Amino acid sequence: MMKKMIILIASVISIGYYLNAKASQSSFKKETEVKTFSDIYYKIETSSVSIDEIIIGATEFALTMCADRSYQEALGNTVQSCNHHFKMTKDRCASYLIKNSQRFYKDKTKVTLLTERFINCVS
């Protein structure tokens, strides 16, 4: 279990820093609609992101990780078990995050930590 958690956290941090670097190198629209994990970091370059947008991006990222059969097998899971667990925990995890967070964020580190919390909760 601890090994899975370390792999998950390392993955989220690595992707977060990569997307942060990528977002810093490009110019973006003033108003970015968050649909994917990377959209969070694109938007934060020009404006704050809401906790709802963080959940949308983290959901997409978690589902992408669930769909990765090789990754799931490395963790000792299946795509089906990951998707089932996600479905069963998503609403509870989102509620907890909304209840215990600010409404908007501009700090990339805090956004990454919130994303990790959500993904750890649904994983």
Side-chain angles (χ1 to χ4, degrees), residues 16-26:
Y17 283 113
Y18 167 77
L19 293 173
N20 179 33
K22 186 176 177 183
S24 297
Q25 296 174 355
S26 303

Short mmCIF file of all heavy atoms in Angstrom, two decimals, residues 16-26:
data_model
loop_
_atom_site.label_atom_id
_atom_site.label_comp_id
_atom_site.label_asym_id
_atom_site.label_seq_id
_atom_site.Cartn_x
_atom_site.Cartn_y
_atom_site.Cartn_z
N GLY A 16 2.83 17.32 -12.58
CA GLY A 16 2.54 18.71 -12.22
C GLY A 16 3.69 19.64 -12.58
O GLY A 16 3.47 20.71 -13.16
N TYR A 17 4.90 19.25 -12.26
CA TYR A 17 6.05 20.09 -12.59
C TYR A 17 6.26 20.18 -14.10
O TYR A 17 6.60 21.23 -14.63
CB TYR A 17 7.31 19.59 -11.89
CG TYR A 17 7.33 19.97 -10.43
CD1 TYR A 17 7.23 19.01 -9.46
CD2 TYR A 17 7.41 21.30 -10.05
CE1 TYR A 17 7.23 19.35 -8.12
CE2 TYR A 17 7.40 21.67 -8.72
CZ TYR A 17 7.31 20.68 -7.75
OH TYR A 17 7.30 21.03 -6.43
N TYR A 18 6.06 19.07 -14.80
CA TYR A 18 6.19 19.09 -16.26
C TYR A 18 5.17 20.06 -16.87
O TYR A 18 5.51 20.89 -17.70
CB TYR A 18 5.99 17.68 -16.83
CG TYR A 18 5.81 17.68 -18.33
CD1 TYR A 18 6.90 17.84 -19.18
CD2 TYR A 18 4.54 17.55 -18.89
CE1 TYR A 18 6.73 17.86 -20.56
CE2 TYR A 18 4.37 17.57 -20.26
CZ TYR A 18 5.46 17.73 -21.09
OH TYR A 18 5.28 17.75 -22.44
N LEU A 19 3.93 19.94 -16.44
CA LEU A 19 2.89 20.80 -17.01
C LEU A 19 3.11 22.26 -16.62
O LEU A 19 2.83 23.16 -17.41
CB LEU A 19 1.51 20.32 -16.56
CG LEU A 19 1.10 18.96 -17.12
CD1 LEU A 19 -0.20 18.51 -16.48
CD2 LEU A 19 0.97 19.02 -18.63
N ASN A 20 3.63 22.47 -15.42
CA ASN A 20 3.94 23.82 -14.98
C ASN A 20 5.01 24.43 -15.89
O ASN A 20 4.88 25.56 -16.34
CB ASN A 20 4.41 23.80 -13.53
CG ASN A 20 4.77 25.17 -13.03
OD1 ASN A 20 4.17 26.15 -13.43
ND2 ASN A 20 5.75 25.23 -12.16
N ALA A 21 6.05 23.68 -16.16
CA ALA A 21 7.11 24.17 -17.04
C ALA A 21 6.58 24.42 -18.44
O ALA A 21 6.90 25.42 -19.07
CB ALA A 21 8.26 23.16 -17.08
N LYS A 22 5.76 23.51 -18.93
CA LYS A 22 5.18 23.66 -20.26
C LYS A 22 4.26 24.88 -20.32
O LYS A 22 4.29 25.64 -21.28
CB LYS A 22 4.39 22.39 -20.60
CG LYS A 22 3.87 22.35 -22.00
CD LYS A 22 3.19 21.02 -22.28
CE LYS A 22 2.60 21.00 -23.65
NZ LYS A 22 1.89 19.77 -23.93
N ALA A 23 3.47 25.07 -19.27
CA ALA A 23 2.56 26.21 -19.23
C ALA A 23 3.32 27.53 -19.19
O ALA A 23 2.89 28.52 -19.76
CB ALA A 23 1.62 26.10 -18.03
N SER A 24 4.46 27.54 -18.52
CA SER A 24 5.25 28.76 -18.42
C SER A 24 5.87 29.17 -19.75
O SER A 24 6.20 30.33 -19.95
CB SER A 24 6.37 28.56 -17.39
OG SER A 24 5.82 28.34 -16.13
N GLN A 25 6.04 28.23 -20.66
CA GLN A 25 6.68 28.51 -21.93
C GLN A 25 5.72 28.96 -23.01
O GLN A 25 6.15 29.40 -24.07
CB GLN A 25 7.42 27.26 -22.43
CG GLN A 25 8.55 26.86 -21.53
CD GLN A 25 9.16 25.55 -21.95
OE1 GLN A 25 8.66 24.89 -22.86
NE2 GLN A 25 10.21 25.15 -21.27
N SER A 26 4.44 28.83 -22.79
CA SER A 26 3.46 29.13 -23.84
C SER A 26 2.60 30.32 -23.44
O SER A 26 2.49 30.68 -22.29
CB SER A 26 2.56 27.92 -24.06
OG SER A 26 3.33 26.80 -24.39
#
